[in-house]
Amino acid sequence: DAMVIQNPRYQVTQFGKPVTLSCSQTLNHNVMYWYQQKSSQAPKLLFHYYDKDFNNEADTPDNFQSRRPNTSFCFLDIRSPGLGDAAMYLCATSRGGGGLRAEAFFGQGTRLTVV
Amino acid sequence: DQQVKQNSPSLSVQEGRISILNCDYTNSMFDYFLWYKKYPAEGPTFLISISSIKDKNEDGRFTVFLNKSAKHLSLHIVPSQPGDSAVYFCAVSNYGGSQGNLIFGKGTKLSVKP
């Protein structure tokens, strides 16, 4: 059974039109992450939640925001998508902490296309 | 500047032979190292990991070696199988008092030919 579920798998949005990607988990993990991955590049961490504490990476554009209403769900909001935001967006969870607790479990990703 | 480097974008090996994937990192404070495997149109899946207190960890056909003095780790797959064809990402845990965020390399695409 899938433990980290991302919806939708594929999302097409218009330039400048707000879009929301969703992620849910059944692992009851403390930490939820959003990564952006562009072709042939490393997954890049955008932000993460440790429980309700939000942690934004310094170079994450203001255009990207996130919400975590409860332990199970986390959302990625892109306020005004540009062509450069087309990418695979990966949600992941972990128990949080060092060692094996850092192991992240990934969803299948959402492929975002901006037209 | 990249903190985790996988300098080989691709690797091709014959079925049954050994696959060796390499990864270099810059920060000696990293304390946990992971390998992930990714098939097209899927998210990465955890493969194997190693703590900085060890220099080798083995799980079936997969072995990870860590050389801390060289800041280098490698993944050995023996014997390689066609089903191993995927992109392999090296990741390090940037624990250091935070929540164990992972920093990824760019990946190496492994092709195992029958």
Side-chain angles (χ1 to χ4, degrees), chain B residues 77-88:
Chain B
I77 306 174
V78 182
S80 302
Q81 299 174 354
D84 296 328
S85 298
V87 177
Y88 290 78

Side-chain angles (χ1 to χ4, degrees), chain A residues 9 33 35 37 40 42-43 45 48 50 55 90 96-100 102-104 106-108, chain B residues 31-32 34 36 38 41-44 46 49 89 93 95 98-106:
Chain A
R9 291 289 307 278
Y33 309 86
Y35 284 86
Q37 187 185 17
S40 302
L45 182 65
H48 73 276
Y50 195 113
N55 298 270
L90 296 164
L100 196 57
E103 179 194 334
F106 284 84
Q108 290 188 296
Chain B
D31 60 357
Y32 201 74
L34 307 91
Y36 280 81
K38 185 180 184 301
E42 294 185 13
F46 171 74
S49 62
F89 290 97
S93 173
Y95 180 52
S98 68
Q99 288 93 36
N101 301 337
L102 297 181
I103 302 171
F104 286 85
K106 287 188 176 184

